[in-house]
Amino acid sequence: MSALIFPRADVPLNDLPALLLPAYGETLTMVGIVMAVVLVIGAPLGVLLHNVAPGGLYERPALHAVLSWIISIGRSLPFLILMAAIVPFTRFITGTNIGIAAAVVPMSLAGIAFFTRIVENSLRSVPPSMVQVARAAGGSNLQIMRTAQFSEAVPAVIGGLTIQVIAMIEYSAIAGTIGAGGIGYVAVTYGYQRFDNTVMLATIVILVVTVALVQIVGDRLVRFTTPQKRLQRA
Amino acid sequence: MISLRHLTKTYGRGHAAVTVLDHLDFEVPTGRIAAVVGPSGAGKSTLAQCINLLERPTSGAVVVNGEELSGLPEKRLREARRRIGTVFQSSSLLSRRTAAENIALPLEYLGVTPGEARARVAELLDRVGLSDKAGHYPFQLSGGQAQRVGIARALALRPSILLADEATSGLDPDTTRSVVGLIRQLRNDLDLTVVFITHEMDTVRQVADTVARLDHGRIVEQGDLVELLTSHDSLLGRSLQPRRGHAGPEAGTRTWYVTYDSTDVPGDWIQRFTGDLGAVVHLLGASVETVHGVNTGSATLGIGADDDARVRGALARYGLSGTPDGGGGSQSHQLLTAAAVLEDVA
């Protein structure tokens, strides 16, 4: 055990920022890149999934079944297993299987599957009469998807996005165990393998505060994008 | 003017096929308000969706001002939809847009410049009497105000046809009256042709020039509102009459259901009829109103006379028509029951 080889000595408080800040930066980078990819691919995919479903604007039940099935597979694997399973694919894309670049690939895949479902679900909660209204007003399918479906669902999508960002922070910590860096990596190497309680505690505080902040910002945005909540508060 | 010719809409194929509209013919001349009524399941919503071209008919034609629209290719069909304004059931406003932004929706889709759109929206808000509510969100509007916004939105692209699809369903009677008043006003000002689809007979009496009854996918009866209301033998006319409860008959009298059967029933008919008959007449219930300047309505009377023919004759003198309750098996009695059922279903 590492505690036997290295005499147990917690990282002094003074050195904590030097250890944690770069790691935190790495975590934010990972989550940031992944969220960008997820938004760009997941949002249109969610809208597509919703509209090829029976009753959608481009009803294609067979395509919907296939898409839905693929997404369900992505959603059903625990992240650790997904990450390990697609190592060859990750190496093919990034040329490496460690580090931030390598972590971003499985995180994006899991994230896209996650977000696609969130968008699909949010659109489903918009009353179908809104689409009828937009069609009767002479809207093209693209206009209808933008103004009557997605725009109406924005608060729900933001609510889902909040859950998603928090899930991605969690995934980044799991990715940390295979050497992706970030707060998760520090927590595992110092807190777990070296029994450094100070570092362990510090990473926990950072994660709790980060998640709380994300939640607060998300809630604010939901309120801001829902006229009823925004104006009744004032 | 809008005419529907041999309109047929079938869902599904083969044995599972369901024909919702069955060679339906219907025409509304320019500047008229035609109400379409019918029990649920008669095909009202499908008819609405064929009129505003959200659904393509299986066969037949939707002709607006002489131009056949339902057979157009998809892109042209979308343009054609702009010639028909639809007022939906209340609560059809986009919740994250203000009243003005909701009204601007069709203009936005069309690609009108923001400046032009603003001017047009201001004009429309003024027309529906909501200039002070431009920046209000749907949750800040009452049901009637929201529906006025819906009407303004339907008119944004200056359509010649206005389709009201259960537009007053779910509104209280006063609000309904004001929304209906607005629709009639707009019809007069803009020479709109209005198709008003509803299941509310009370609303029909307020809004319609003509009424058509849809049943099993066909127009089974239609006519001028006043003519229907004053026609004793019309099932549709009967179902248009308000049917309220009435007091029970007293001993020695018989209950008669009396309808206004002509356009010139004198206001003091009860007094004169009682004098003519020389018998006891109890008023058990009545509903009379003026529709397009004509008094129409019905009354339930308890009459202490045995000679049915004499009672009928006395009523006929004042343009009224009567049916004794409990007569059993008579054609009018069946008609009455059928009318009551029709109202129940609706």
Side-chain angles (χ1 to χ4, degrees):
Chain A
M1 281 181 70
S2 49
L4 294 177
I5 301 164
F6 302 103
R8 196 187 144 182
D10 286 6
V11 172
L13 281 178
N14 281 348
D15 295 348
L16 271 184
L19 176 67
L20 293 173
L21 283 180
Y24 192 50
E26 284 165 3
T27 296
L28 295 185
T29 309
M30 263 189 282
V31 174
I33 295 173
V34 168
M35 284 313 296
V37 173
V38 161
L39 275 176
V40 167
I41 299 178
L45 205 56
V47 175
L48 179 74
L49 189 66
H50 176 71
N51 282 298
V52 293
L57 289 169
Y58 302 96
E59 242 174 287
R60 299 276 188 289
L63 178 59
H64 178 257
V66 172
L67 269 180
S68 186
W69 195 69
I70 293 173
I71 290 161
S72 290
I73 292 179
R75 297 267 302 117
S76 58
L77 293 180
F79 181 65
L80 194 61
I81 295 172
L82 176 81
M83 197 166 60
I86 64 160
V87 161
F89 176 69
T90 305
R91 193 181 295 153
F92 171 72
I93 299 263
T94 64
T96 174
N97 50 3
I98 54 162
I100 291 184
V104 160
V105 175
M107 280 174 71
S108 296
L109 281 184
I112 288 168
F114 195 111
F115 192 56
T116 303
R117 282 283 183 234
I118 284 178
V119 171
E120 186 197 22
N121 236 325
S122 306
L123 295 189
R124 206 183 288 149
S125 65
V126 175
S129 61
M130 296 301 168
V131 172
Q132 298 292 64
V133 166
R135 288 182 68 210
S140 66
N141 283 349
L142 222 58
Q143 287 170 325
I144 293 168
M145 288 189 276
R146 188 170 54 78
T147 54
Q149 291 185 337
F150 197 78
S151 173
E152 280 292 290
V154 158
V157 170
I158 291 177
L161 207 56
T162 311
I163 297 172
Q164 166 114 32
V165 170
I166 291 167
M168 290 303 116
I169 293 172
E170 183 196 326
Y171 284 11
S172 81
I174 298 174
T177 60
I178 62 154
I183 286 288
Y185 180 71
V186 171
V188 168
T189 50
Y190 286 77
Y192 178 68
Q193 289 172 349
R194 289 173 58 179
F195 303 106
D196 186 331
N197 289 335
T198 312
V199 172
M200 191 51 127
L201 204 65
T203 55
I204 289 173
V205 169
I206 288 177
L207 286 173
V208 168
V209 169
T210 306
V211 167
L213 277 177
V214 169
Q215 191 63 51
I216 288 170
V217 171
D219 288 348
R220 284 266 165 92
L221 282 174
V222 169
R223 174 159 300 141
F224 180 74
T225 50
T226 312
Q228 187 156 5
K229 290 180 180 156
R230 181 176 72 223
L231 297 170
Q232 276 179 349
R233 281 251 144 185
Chain B
M1 168 161 125
I2 181 166
S3 42
L4 312 177
R5 293 182 195 150
H6 304 298
L7 204 64
T8 300
K9 181 69 187 177
T10 309
Y11 291 101
R13 291 206 184 109
H15 293 298
V18 181
T19 301
V20 181
L21 299 177
D22 185 10
H23 296 90
L24 178 145
D25 286 295
F26 188 52
E27 189 170 292
V28 187
T30 304
R32 303 285 281 174
I33 300 180
V36 178
V37 301
S40 33
K44 291 198 300 286
S45 33
T46 304
L47 177 65
Q49 295 194 321
C50 284
I51 290 177
N52 63 17
L53 308 171
L54 290 186
E55 287 276 359
R56 215 187 266 278
T58 310
S59 67
V62 177
V63 183
V64 171
N65 297 333
E67 199 181 334
E68 205 284 305
L69 299 179
S70 56
L72 294 173
E74 192 53 46
K75 191 171 181 302
R76 302 264 327 271
L77 193 68
R78 171 154 48 93
E79 286 157 10
R81 281 184 197 129
R82 297 178 169 143
R83 303 165 59 170
I84 298 146
T86 307
V87 186
F88 290 86
Q89 258 204 44
S90 52
S91 76
S92 71
L93 301 181
L94 296 173
S95 65
R96 297 185 57 238
R97 286 171 164 249
T98 62
E101 287 165 351
N102 263 288
I103 297 172
L105 193 71
L107 301 163
E108 199 180 303
Y109 288 163
L110 187 63
V112 172
T113 64
E116 272 178 78
R118 251 195 311 279
R120 177 77 182 131
V121 168
E123 183 191 327
L124 287 159
L125 276 166
D126 181 50
R127 207 173 253 296
V128 298
L130 289 177
S131 292
D132 55 331
K133 302 275 188 250
H136 282 52
Y137 284 91
F139 81 92
Q140 296 167 306
L141 300 172
S142 69
Q145 289 167 342
Q147 207 49 327
R148 281 163 183 268
V149 173
I151 292 171
R153 179 177 61 194
L155 294 175
L157 300 178
R158 303 178 201 279
S160 57
I161 313 288
L162 188 69
L163 169 71
D165 184 9
E166 297 285 0
T168 54
S169 302
L171 298 179
D172 63 66
D174 285 341
T175 310
T176 297
R177 204 163 296 126
S178 96
V179 168
V180 158
L182 175 66
I183 289 177
R184 288 191 69 87
Q185 180 67 45
L186 290 167
R187 184 276 306 263
N188 296 343
D189 295 350
L190 306 173
D191 204 25
L192 289 170
T193 305
V194 183
V195 181
F196 196 98
I197 296 180
T198 184
H199 68 274
E200 298 169 328
M201 298 301 188
D202 290 336
T203 312
V204 171
R205 289 198 309 279
Q206 296 166 34
V207 74
D209 299 319
T210 63
V211 190
R213 181 160 71 89
L214 184 67
D215 201 6
H216 293 98
R218 285 166 174 267
I219 299 290
V220 290
E221 190 180 355
Q222 60 182 318
D224 181 82
L225 174 67
V226 173
E227 272 170 32
L228 286 169
L229 280 172
T230 53
S231 160
H232 186 62
D233 294 326
S234 159
L235 175 57
L236 177 54
R238 281 301 183 88
S239 62
L240 282 168
Q241 298 280 2
R243 297 277 290 167
R244 302 203 178 89
H246 58 79
E250 296 204 6
T253 66
R254 197 156 168 222
T255 309
W256 282 74
Y257 179 64
V258 175
T259 52
Y260 282 46
D261 209 16
S262 70
T263 55
D264 51 4
V265 176
D268 59 349
W269 66 268
I270 279 206
Q271 189 188 7
R272 289 156 71 177
F273 162 72
T274 308
D276 292 354
L277 199 63
V280 171
V281 174
H282 293 269
L283 181 61
L284 304 177
S287 168
V288 179
E289 65 188 325
T290 305
V291 175
H292 300 331
V294 173
N295 286 341
T296 70
S298 63
T300 308
L301 303 174
I303 300 176
D306 287 333
D307 189 347
D308 286 359
R310 241 189 91 223
V311 174
R312 281 209 178 86
L315 285 169
R317 214 169 294 154
Y318 302 107
L320 298 154
S321 149
T323 320
D325 259 355
S330 77
Q331 194 220 341
S332 338
H333 183 70
Q334 284 170 356
L335 204 58
L336 198 64
T337 317
V341 167
L342 186 66
E343 181 114 62
D344 273 354
V345 173

